[in-house]
Amino acid sequence: MRFAVVQFPGSNDDRDMAFALKSVLGVDAELVWHRDPELPPTTRAVLLPGGFSYGDYLRCGAMARFSPIMAAVRRFADAGGLVLGTCNGFQVLCEAGLLPGVLRRNRGLHFVCETSCLRVDNAETSFTSRARAGQVLRIPIKHGEGAYYATAHEIETLEANDQVVLRYCEPDGSVTDAANPNGSLGNIAGIVNAAGNVFGLMPHPEHAVEAAIGGTDGALLLGSLIDAVESGERTLA
Amino acid sequence: MKAVVSVTLKPDVLDPQGEAIRKACGSLGHAAVTGVRQGKLFEVELDAADEAAARKLVEELADKLLANTVIEDYRIERIEA
């Protein structure tokens, strides 16, 4: 196994993520149970899927971070391993402290379920290398708690280091308040950590990998991750 | 022992739920209500040697689990024997 998709109780995009990687993009991907104390030794990237882990009790992602597998994910990330969290996975990464900030209740209180336009603000990451800077991607979102919040200092640091990777935007790429579906600060839809190996985003790239069902822009992000894993393996070899 | 801990959003963090509740107060005819902030209350039962030990434990729980201190403040309201 090279791509480990973690399954928490309440995850519901785990199989979709594994399907996108395995059946559509043709890489070796497997589900890993949250109680496993270790990642499989062949793991080259970890994916934390969307859903409602542990019923979103207390706060979204707050309980999942105590799963045995998360200690292994933290060790993997600390050693430079590539980790991608979508939606609930992004919330888990924030609660675990692997990414700064937190995802809050949407500004309008409503659950949003739509195709979002996302501007790629940093195409130099391991998760966006197949996209161009400024490119507008169309990828679905579906969440009730996706308003990104961080302290003013943290936002400043994210901006200064080009850690804001994706922003909600208009179809022409302009970043406006009207294009912000949930009240995220700075229209932030996805960020990387300072080291660039941990990526969290509210949109669902695994739901945009086939032209027949909603487009293939998500494959640009997952494909970038695949490229990063493969080039890492070449370096090791 | 029992500890009571309240968790509220930091004052500068927008509270859309509180705002929705405020509007509902207006719908009930209570225009006098000008603001609502909502939060959570935890009643934690625990075994501890004395109040100081209980406070120390609850403080740690609140900081690491009950509240996300990026957006929330917590307060130990009381500790009962």
Side-chain angles (χ1 to χ4, degrees):
Chain A
M1 177 197 311
R2 294 190 303 161
F3 292 79
V5 180
V6 176
Q7 234 179 354
F8 297 106
S11 293
N12 63 10
D13 294 317
D14 43 342
R15 287 183 175 81
D16 296 25
M17 180 61 86
F19 175 84
L21 289 167
K22 203 171 180 169
S23 302
V24 181
L25 298 168
V27 296
D28 190 8
E30 297 268 347
L31 298 170
V32 174
W33 187 232
H34 70 114
R35 294 182 70 106
D36 291 354
E38 297 290 344
L39 290 161
T42 52
T43 301
R44 294 291 172 268
V46 173
L47 297 109
L48 303 186
F52 301 85
S53 58
Y54 297 87
D56 278 348
Y57 290 170
L58 189 62
R59 293 177 307 275
C60 300
M63 296 293 161
R65 91 175 141 112
F66 296 105
S67 284
I69 197 71
M70 282 306 294
V73 171
R74 182 184 299 278
R75 287 193 297 274
F76 182 79
D78 287 348
L82 294 164
V83 178
L84 185 156
T86 60
C87 199
N88 193 227
F90 187 10
Q91 294 163 341
V92 172
L93 289 172
C94 286
E95 280 285 344
L98 288 168
L99 287 173
V102 59
L103 282 310
R104 300 200 44 226
R105 179 64 75 94
N106 292 349
R107 174 171 58 183
L109 292 175
H110 292 288
F111 190 94
V112 294
C113 184
E114 59 193 42
T115 300
S116 61
C117 290
L118 304 163
R119 191 178 75 192
V120 179
D121 273 18
N122 184 348
E124 309 290 313
T125 77
S126 296
F127 309 90
T128 49
S129 58
R130 285 197 192 182
R132 300 182 312 276
Q135 185 174 356
V136 176
L137 309 179
R138 298 177 69 87
I139 296 179
I141 52 171
K142 50 181 181 92
H143 58 250
E145 295 180 292
Y148 184 75
Y149 180 92
T151 62
H153 173 71
E154 283 171 328
I155 295 279
E156 224 169 85
T157 307
L158 288 174
E159 298 283 4
N161 295 339
D162 279 333
Q163 285 172 253
V164 178
V165 175
L166 299 173
R167 282 182 220 271
Y168 302 107
C169 68
E170 304 285 351
D172 69 0
S174 55
V175 171
T176 65
D177 191 53
N180 189 338
N182 51 28
S184 291
L185 292 180
N187 283 39
I188 291 172
I191 57 169
V192 286
N193 64 345
N197 63 309
V198 178
F199 179 40
L201 74 168
M202 286 312 294
H204 289 269
E206 78 279 15
H207 291 154
V209 292
E210 291 181 291
I213 43 171
T216 56
D217 286 354
L220 289 176
L221 302 180
L222 296 178
S224 301
L225 174 61
I226 292 168
D227 289 349
V229 165
E230 285 174 353
S231 83
E233 287 184 340
R234 277 197 298 277
T235 310
L236 287 175
Chain B
M1 297 183 108
K2 184 165 99 174
V4 179
V5 183
S6 67
V7 174
T8 51
L9 286 168
K10 288 182 188 290
D12 57 339
V13 174
L14 180 75
D15 179 9
Q17 292 184 81
E19 184 55 18
I21 295 164
R22 184 195 64 78
K23 283 182 183 153
C25 293
S27 302
L28 280 175
H30 298 300
V33 178
T34 54
V36 176
R37 307 276 294 169
Q38 55 93 51
K40 297 174 189 162
L41 193 75
F42 298 88
E43 294 181 346
V44 183
E45 310 262 357
L46 71 163
D47 296 323
D50 54 28
E51 189 185 322
R55 186 170 292 276
K56 188 164 177 286
L57 172 58
V58 172
E59 184 96 18
E60 185 187 334
L61 283 183
D63 195 61
K64 290 196 177 149
L65 176 62
L66 303 182
N68 181 330
T69 55
V70 176
I71 51 168
E72 293 170 327
D73 290 325
Y74 62 85
R75 198 168 70 182
I76 300 172
E77 300 292 340
R78 59 181 184 276
I79 293 177
E80 296 163 4

